[in-house]
């Protein structure tokens, strides 16, 4: 076995480094990159001594390496989402689940979900105030939650209402428990883990009712929701998914898919209000029934404001040669999505919000990585992009979004995802009225 070689890093004690990561996670990453280059060590709670990488060749190598060499690190996600969650399984178990659950999120099925997303967006936006500033994060959360409840859980009526109440609380607490180093003991219903277990029992009871109803549904094989597909799907050996697998994976899909998509949409609003020229072109484009700039805008929002700032792997083989480094078994590796997206060599003038960089060109799979990569790349990436596209299209079609000259909103960590600190505040007017303020602001931006 080759001798271990690891990059350099700060020698500050773990609690100091951990404190910095908690208080200023992006600032500390930028500083460490300036000091040590594209790879460095950190020593932080939850991950321990981890190698952080942001060189595209090393990132590509890590993402494409076989899961036998490097695969997931189960932090507390398995504790929160269950032992059968994507985030808790690896190797063959993970491969089997991917094979079954990738198809529902592609092709014909996605088109079926598009109508659901538009309905939910129209319904939510009908309640938006006009001419008065409000935070869009809450509304975006409701749109993505309702869309996912229908597309994934196939839930409506009493079960949907129960899940709509329960899931935001469960996800919020879960996001905190994943990053907070609290003892995992259940000290009754007032303790964090006690509350979590209570939520989970309620969730399981609702899922049991949904499964029982689905099994009795004579039209089950015509349904497009993921639960119906799970109940009918078969592994290569002919067996079906177990009740535990179905429950854990439904919760995983919801948790991974709802807040990430909503926070990205809130960032889209935040960025667009500060770029009136882009906003005006997008409004013209929607009127023309086209979508190229909108799709590029979503890619650019995800580049400049990746809501998940990094993804993680752990070396499972006795050792791994990763670019310049020889990593020992058990080594944790963090891919900094944030740093790679801010790399001047890959994205000239990286802090500038410029959707045109993606007009007519697809981003590179290992340089534009808001959905991670390789065998663990986000399973819902196409769903999320469809959803963001439809929500943004609906917004631009039905409303004028007022630009602002206020400073950009700061990044705020919600535990797992980063959102705009003020929730992506917006002022909207229903279309058909004035577009003057937008045109004036766009002209002022051009003159500047
Ligand atoms: C803008 C929205 C989203 C973002 C930014 C996002 C981001 C990510 C990232 C960074 C990962 C880790 C990938 C890796 O380790 O390489 C991931 C995994 C995952 N995401 Fe997403 N995601 C989004 C939406 C969704 C949606 C809508 C769903 C489902 C409906 C979903 C389901 C999952 C699942 C199941 C995994 C685990 C995959 C595995 O381990 O095999 N995500 N996502």
């Amino acid at each position: 076995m080759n001798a271990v070689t690891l990059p350099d890093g700060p020698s500050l004690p773990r609690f100091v480094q951990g404190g910095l990561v908690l208080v200023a996670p992006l600032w500390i990453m930028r500083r460490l990159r300036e000091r040590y280059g594209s790879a460095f060590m950190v020593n932080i709670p939850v991950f321990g001594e981890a190698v952080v990488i942001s060189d595209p060749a090393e990132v590509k190598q890590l993402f494409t390496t076989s899961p036998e060499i490097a695969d997931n690190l189960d932090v507390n996600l398995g504790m929160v989402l269950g032992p059968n969650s994507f985030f808790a399984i690896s190797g063959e178990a993970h491969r089997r689940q991917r094979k079954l659950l990738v198809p529902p999120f592609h092709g014909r099925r996605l088109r079926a979900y598009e109508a659901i997303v538009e309905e939910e967006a129209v319904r939510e936006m009908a309640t938006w105030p006009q001419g008065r500033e409000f935070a869009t994060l809450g509304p975006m959360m409701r749109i993505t939650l309702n869309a996912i409840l229908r597309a994934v859980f196939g839930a409506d009526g009493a079960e949907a209402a129960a899940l709509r109440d329960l899931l935001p609380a469960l996800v919020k607490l879960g996001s905190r428990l994943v990053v907070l180093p609290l003892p995992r003991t259940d000290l009754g219903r007032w303790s964090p883990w006690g509350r979590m277990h209570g939520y989970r029992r309620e969730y399981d009871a609702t899922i049991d009712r949904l499964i029982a109803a689905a099994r009795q549904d004579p039209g089950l094989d015509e349904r497009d929701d993921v639960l119906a597909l799970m109940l009918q799907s078969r592994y290569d050996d002919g067996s079906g998914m177990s009740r535990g697998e179905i429950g854990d994976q439904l919760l995983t899909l919801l948790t991974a898919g709802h807040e990430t998509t909503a926070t990205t949409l809130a960032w889209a609003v935040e960025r667009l209000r500060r770029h009136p020229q882009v906003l005006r072109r997008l409004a013209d484009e929607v009127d023309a029934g086209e979508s190229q700039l909108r799709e590029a805008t979503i890619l650019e929002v995800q580049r400049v404001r990746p809501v998940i700032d990094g993804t993680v792997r752990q070396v499972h083989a006795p050792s791994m040669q990763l670019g310049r480094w020889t990593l020992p078994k058990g080594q944790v590796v963090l891919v900094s999505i944030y740093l790679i997206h801010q790399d001047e060599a890959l994205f000239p003038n990286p802090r500038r919000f410029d959707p045109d960089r993606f007009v007519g060109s697809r981003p590179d799979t290992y340089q534009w990585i808001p959905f991670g990569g390789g065998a663990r790349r986000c399973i819902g990436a196409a769903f999320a992009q469809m959803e963001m596209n439809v929500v943004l299209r609906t917004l631009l079609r039905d409303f004028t979004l007022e630009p602002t000259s206020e400073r950009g909103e700061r990044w705020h960590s919600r535990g797992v995802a980063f959102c705009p600190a003020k929730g992506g505040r917006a002022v909207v007017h229903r279309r058909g009225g004035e577009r003057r303020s937008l045109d004036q602001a766009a002209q002022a931006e051009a003159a500047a």
Side-chain angles (χ1 to χ4, degrees):
M1 195 171 74
N2 296 333
V4 169
T5 48
L6 297 172
D8 281 343
S11 53
L12 296 166
R14 177 181 293 193
F15 76 92
V16 179
Q17 295 192 38
L20 286 169
V21 166
L22 214 60
V23 176
L26 304 176
W27 176 83
I28 187 73
M29 284 290 149
R30 281 201 311 273
R31 291 304 307 272
L32 291 173
R33 189 190 159 117
E34 277 160 27
R35 172 108 192 250
Y36 297 102
S38 68
F40 48 83
M41 296 297 296
V42 289
N43 188 358
I44 49 179
V46 182
F47 297 114
E49 288 206 63
V51 177
V52 178
I53 61 169
S54 58
D55 173 83
E58 286 168 358
V59 170
K60 178 174 182 180
Q61 192 197 339
L62 184 70
F63 279 160
T64 51
T65 200
S66 108
E68 280 67 42
I69 296 179
D71 204 351
N72 71 321
L73 167 77
D74 179 12
V75 248
N76 285 339
L77 278 169
M79 292 290 294
V80 171
L81 302 171
N84 304 290
S85 160
F86 270 116
F87 295 109
I89 54 178
S90 55
E92 188 48 31
H94 178 251
R95 238 188 318 262
R96 265 162 56 95
Q97 295 275 305
R98 289 271 312 193
K99 210 166 159 194
L100 236 51
L101 292 180
V102 165
F105 291 101
H106 288 91
R108 182 179 69 77
R109 307 261 182 229
L110 270 194
R111 279 189 290 284
Y113 302 144
E114 208 175 304
I116 294 181
V117 174
E118 182 164 356
E119 259 177 56
E120 292 303 332
V122 167
R123 187 149 57 133
E124 177 63 39
M125 288 175 192
T127 68
W128 284 8
Q130 290 195 58
R132 181 160 58 76
E133 202 176 49
F134 66 101
T136 52
L137 183 58
M140 295 304 185
M141 289 279 206
R142 285 192 288 277
I143 294 172
T144 59
L145 178 63
N146 285 330
I148 220 159
L149 282 177
R150 291 175 60 189
V152 173
F153 290 72
D156 48 23
E159 269 65 46
L163 290 170
R164 224 184 338 262
D165 285 346
L166 172 68
L167 289 169
L170 188 156
V171 171
K172 190 170 172 193
L173 179 61
S175 302
R176 301 257 153 83
L177 291 178
V178 168
V179 287
L180 287 179
L182 287 177
R184 296 177 187 181
T185 27
D186 180 344
L187 299 171
R189 65 199 181 102
W190 300 115
S191 69
W193 281 104
R195 260 184 23 241
M196 191 69 212
H197 292 150
Y199 288 153
R200 180 67 204 223
R201 278 191 295 276
E202 242 180 273
Y203 166 80
D204 278 327
T206 313
I207 293 299
D208 283 338
R209 289 197 298 276
L210 277 174
I211 292 179
R215 288 203 197 281
Q216 284 174 3
D217 183 352
L220 184 66
D221 55 355
E222 280 151 37
R223 277 171 46 174
D224 280 314
D225 58 271
V226 179
L227 170 61
L229 301 172
M230 281 178 170
L231 288 170
Q232 298 168 85
S233 60
R234 291 288 170 269
Y235 295 115
D236 289 343
D237 64 7
S239 64
M241 287 179 79
S242 69
R243 164 65 186 80
E245 285 172 339
I246 292 178
D248 291 357
Q249 293 296 36
L250 285 175
L251 186 57
T252 302
L253 293 170
L254 174 112
T255 313
H258 143 239
E259 183 172 324
T260 42
T261 313
T263 43
T264 309
L265 281 164
W267 275 122
V269 168
E270 190 274 349
R271 287 292 79 198
L272 287 175
R273 287 191 76 203
R274 287 155 180 86
H275 295 85
Q277 286 196 58
V278 178
L279 194 48
R280 188 172 60 169
R281 285 169 58 206
L282 283 170
D284 290 342
E285 185 190 65
V286 92
D287 290 347
E290 286 167 13
S291 64
Q292 197 187 35
L293 181 63
R294 191 166 65 247
E295 282 160 24
T297 299
I298 293 166
L299 296 175
E300 179 67 345
V301 170
Q302 292 199 274
R303 184 192 68 80
V304 285
R305 296 292 184 272
V307 295
I308 308 283
D309 63 332
T311 178
V312 62
R313 300 286 185 274
Q314 185 173 33
V315 176
H316 289 203
S319 81
M320 176 185 185
Q321 189 65 39
L322 177 62
R324 304 159 276 173
W325 320 107
T326 309
L327 312 178
K329 184 180 171 95
Q331 179 64 56
V332 175
V333 185
L334 298 171
V335 175
S336 175
I337 297 173
Y338 171 73
L339 285 181
I340 205 166
H341 285 186
Q342 287 299 316
D343 187 336
E344 174 85 49
L346 307 176
F347 302 102
N349 205 350
R351 296 181 90 140
R352 188 181 149 84
F353 176 72
D354 177 15
D356 282 303
R357 59 175 104 227
F358 294 124
V359 171
S361 73
R362 296 296 302 167
D364 183 285
T365 318
Y366 301 104
Q367 299 176 3
W368 180 88
I369 53 167
F371 294 112
R376 288 205 166 254
R377 185 172 191 270
C378 175
I379 212 170
F383 181 93
Q385 284 183 314
M386 173 279 291
E387 187 169 20
M388 293 188 287
N389 192 350
V390 172
V391 173
L392 213 51
R393 182 182 72 201
T394 311
L395 197 170
L396 293 160
R397 186 193 65 202
D398 296 352
F399 293 92
T400 306
L401 184 58
E402 247 186 47
T404 178
S405 52
E406 275 176 32
R407 289 183 55 163
E409 292 185 35
R410 297 163 70 88
W411 303 60
H412 168 74
S413 170
R414 290 174 56 91
V416 174
F418 280 94
C419 69
K422 295 180 181 167
R425 296 186 76 75
V427 179
V428 299
H429 301 275
R430 202 158 261 289
R431 281 285 292 274
E434 283 292 329
R435 268 197 50 192
R436 205 181 319 129
S437 64
L438 177 55
D439 290 342
Q440 277 169 352
Q443 278 159 15
E445 195 195 16

